[in-house]
Amino acid sequence: MDRLYEYIARRFLACCSVDAKGSETLVVAQVGSELFNAKGMIVEQLGLYEVFIYDRWVDKHLPPVARGDQIPIEALELRTGKTEPPPLLSESDLISLMDRHGIGTDATIAQHIQKILERGYVSKNHSKRFQPELLGLALVESYETCQVHLARPYMRAHQEQSLKRISTNSIGKNEMLESALSSFGSMYELLETNARSLDQVFRRIFVEPNATDSWRIMHPEVTRCGSCSNRLALKQLNQPTARRSGNMRANEPVRRALTCTSCQLNLVMPPFGTLSAFGATCPICGFEVVRIENSERHTEYKICPKCYNDPPSGREVNASGQPRGAFRCYNGSHARCPLATAVIGGTDTVCCVCPGCSSPCNVRKTNLFRVSCSSSHCSFAYFFPRFVDGVVVTDTTCANCAAKKLEVSFLRTMVPPGTPQSMSVCIWCDQAYRTVLELTGEPQPRRTATARDIEGVHAVARAGRGRASRVVQRSRRVRRGGSRT
């Protein structure tokens, strides 16, 4: 936490510092018909970088050359490689693109993003980047098939511009409304005319595998069925026509499923990424978890095949309410699932009130269980020891402090002999829990907020205004030298 406050302080001081100045040299060399370039940098004044150590300029010296000099070539190498796809969009990337295309305002951009998440068009992966879901892929493909470009940014941008023109009296409200209704009415008619094409796209992406489809077994034994303990086979739908004709795109989703012949069960899998067994068992349904890896993006996530197709209900296991085809293990909130990272119990089972800002505190889990404030501007948190195996919020209230009691489970091998495997306690008041911590040498939970916690509320709020980012970007100016080329 000390590093966070140091970063905030240094960023603020950098905003008040003088500009950094440097001279950049660009050397362009011609070999045959090919041009090669190299850049050098001489830092004349560090300025703000003397304080803001997280981004700095360094000297990069080039040998002295003059225009027309002949430079000997030491070696020529031909290196092979392949292009990599761009990374998935982060929230800041998406906001920048929306701002560039004129979509939304400071007050509505967050609502637009939240809506596409709630409707299941996209979801956030473990790296907090947006990844398309089957519903979003189906909608975009069906719109493009029908030549209705609702998914393209200029459609929304045009509507936003029309609304702005009303505020400047450039166009009347009724005129704008009539134009919008006429435009969207014609699109609806076009979609209605091509309803069969929409149905074909959705059937291809969403319809369950059946015996009439041309499927081939890709791997006979991938993971274990939670119902009969037999191994599930991975199969993929053949698409010979598209492949032979060359019409199949490289990023086109592939239909594949895990199937159990004993249970007559077909579980649709995500269309992208390499699928393999992970080795963990889902505590909700008993199916073995699988890993989805994207070698090009160097990312991975885990899913339970059963929960992915039939997401569990209830805040105690699915606090974020993820729909079918969007539920990953990290979306879960099951108390004893080591892969679940969502808020355990959701907002209906808040365990206590934050002493620093009076916001609700939830039980959460990443590597360790913790009780932490739900406010993004507060740093109050209590981390449970490593020997705590599960934490569940109960309906019982502590008579002393009014906090909810927690059902705390322990790893037997890491606690003293005679310690019960679980206990229902108020972690702030009950002596039984404090005794376990004392015997294991762990620090006692602290219910009061320190001055640093309270100051963190105000410091993070100030940093969130975005002024520092803009000032630092304006301060990073380069004075290019004109005497050397």
Side-chain angles (χ1 to χ4, degrees):
M1 190 59 66
D2 292 341
R3 290 182 296 175
L4 173 62
Y5 292 101
E6 181 182 357
Y7 178 86
I8 295 172
R10 286 183 177 276
R11 195 176 185 94
F12 172 75
L13 293 174
C15 296
C16 307
S17 302
V18 297
D19 293 349
K21 297 180 181 179
S23 298
E24 186 179 76
T25 302
L26 175 64
V27 176
V28 179
Q30 182 174 355
V31 181
S33 59
E34 300 292 335
L35 296 178
F36 299 87
N37 62 74
K39 290 183 178 180
M41 167 71 74
I42 298 176
V43 179
E44 300 174 355
Q45 177 179 308
L46 281 175
L48 64 96
Y49 293 114
E50 291 184 0
V51 179
F52 197 71
I53 60 176
Y54 310 98
D55 187 12
R56 61 175 59 192
W57 284 352
V58 294
D59 287 331
K60 184 179 179 181
H61 296 284
L62 293 178
V65 292
R67 184 186 298 272
D69 283 356
Q70 297 291 324
I71 303 175
I73 299 176
E74 294 184 358
L76 291 175
E77 296 180 1
L78 181 61
R79 297 179 181 178
T80 59
K82 63 178 182 179
T83 59
E84 293 187 358
L88 295 171
L89 292 177
S90 64
E91 188 160 334
S92 60
D93 296 333
L94 181 57
I95 291 174
S96 298
L97 287 172
M98 292 173 69
D99 186 58
R100 184 188 307 171
H101 288 91
I103 299 175
T105 64
D106 292 341
T108 61
I109 282 180
Q111 298 174 6
H112 293 330
I113 295 175
Q114 185 62 30
K115 193 168 291 293
I116 64 173
L117 286 168
E118 291 174 352
R119 291 179 176 176
Y121 301 158
V122 299
S123 65
K124 283 188 176 181
N125 62 16
H126 64 285
S127 301
K128 304 300 181 183
R129 290 182 176 270
F130 295 99
Q131 59 187 18
E133 296 299 338
L134 294 180
L135 178 58
L137 292 170
L139 283 173
V140 172
E141 184 173 342
S142 58
Y143 288 156
E144 293 298 315
T145 301
C146 299
Q147 298 297 311
V148 176
H149 305 308
L150 284 172
R152 300 191 181 184
Y154 68 80
M155 294 292 298
R156 180 71 190 188
H158 176 72
Q159 187 178 2
E160 299 271 357
Q161 289 297 325
S162 299
L163 292 173
K164 290 180 181 179
R165 291 175 63 191
I166 295 177
S167 64
T168 58
N169 294 324
S170 302
I171 188 175
K173 171 187 172 182
N174 294 334
E175 183 181 353
M176 181 269 172
L177 187 61
E178 182 179 351
S179 174
L181 289 175
S182 175
S183 175
F184 284 101
S186 61
M187 293 182 193
Y188 178 80
E189 292 175 358
L190 190 56
L191 288 173
E192 194 173 31
T193 304
N194 294 275
R196 186 179 297 275
S197 299
L198 267 73
D199 186 61
Q200 290 176 351
V201 172
F202 274 80
R203 279 181 180 275
R204 177 166 55 81
I205 294 179
F206 279 103
V207 171
E208 297 288 342
N210 56 68
T212 60
D213 292 332
S214 177
W215 294 82
R216 61 191 176 102
I217 301 296
M218 303 299 296
H219 197 291
E221 296 183 355
V222 175
T223 185
R224 180 176 53 80
C225 176
S227 301
C228 65
S229 297
N230 287 336
R231 305 301 293 179
L232 300 178
L234 176 64
K235 62 181 184 180
Q236 181 175 310
L237 182 65
N238 287 325
Q239 296 173 300
T241 304
R243 292 185 186 278
R244 284 199 302 266
S245 62
N247 294 329
M248 190 170 185
R249 300 186 300 272
N251 60 345
E252 184 172 345
V254 176
R255 289 192 63 192
R256 57 185 180 176
L258 288 173
T259 179
C260 179
T261 55
S262 300
C263 302
Q264 297 296 310
L265 184 65
N266 290 302
L267 301 172
V268 176
M269 289 288 98
F272 302 106
T274 303
L275 189 147
S276 61
F278 178 64
T281 300
C282 175
I284 300 172
C285 62
F287 277 71
E288 190 175 1
V289 177
V290 297
R291 177 194 288 114
I292 310 294
E293 295 179 278
N294 189 323
S295 58
E296 293 182 342
R297 299 184 187 276
H298 306 290
T299 59
E300 69 171 52
Y301 59 91
K302 289 88 179 177
I303 63 171
C304 165
K306 180 65 173 176
C307 293
Y308 180 78
N309 286 264
D310 186 16
S313 59
R315 291 188 177 275
E316 68 279 1
V317 289
N318 188 3
S320 55
Q322 293 294 327
R324 179 175 183 263
F327 187 84
R328 273 73 168 165
C329 290
Y330 59 76
N331 296 131
S333 51
H334 194 279
R336 291 179 175 84
C337 178
L339 303 175
T341 60
V343 176
I344 298 174
T347 55
D348 290 343
T349 52
V350 174
C351 61
C352 63
V353 176
C354 175
C357 66
S358 300
S359 298
C361 286
N362 296 99
V363 176
R364 303 173 186 265
K365 180 182 183 298
T366 48
N367 294 329
L368 298 175
F369 287 94
R370 72 182 188 274
V371 173
S372 59
C373 181
S374 59
S375 172
S376 60
H377 300 316
C378 183
S379 61
F380 176 78
Y382 165 67
F383 287 85
F384 288 86
R386 293 188 178 277
F387 57 75
V388 172
D389 187 38
V391 180
V392 178
V393 183
T394 69
D395 295 328
T396 308
T397 303
C398 175
N400 185 38
C401 67
K404 291 288 186 70
K405 289 194 174 184
L406 305 178
E407 185 74 23
V408 183
S409 304
F410 305 112
L411 292 171
R412 287 185 180 275
T413 57
M414 299 181 65
V415 293
T419 303
Q421 186 173 0
S422 65
M423 57 176 63
S424 180
V425 294
C426 171
I427 60 173
W428 315 111
C429 304
D430 285 359
Q431 186 59 39
Y433 178 68
R434 292 178 170 270
T435 301
V436 175
L437 297 182
E438 184 177 351
L439 292 174
T440 53
E442 295 289 340
Q444 299 291 332
R446 173 179 50 82
R447 182 66 191 274
T448 56
T450 64
R452 173 176 292 178
D453 292 323
I454 298 174
E455 175 60 23
V457 177
H458 306 293
V460 176
R462 290 195 299 268
R465 297 173 187 170
R467 296 177 180 174
S469 176
R470 293 192 293 269
V471 174
V472 169
Q473 290 174 4
R474 284 200 301 268
S475 298
R476 186 174 178 173
R477 294 195 293 265
V478 178
R479 189 177 66 200
R480 297 182 180 276
S483 60
R484 297 162 66 184
T485 58

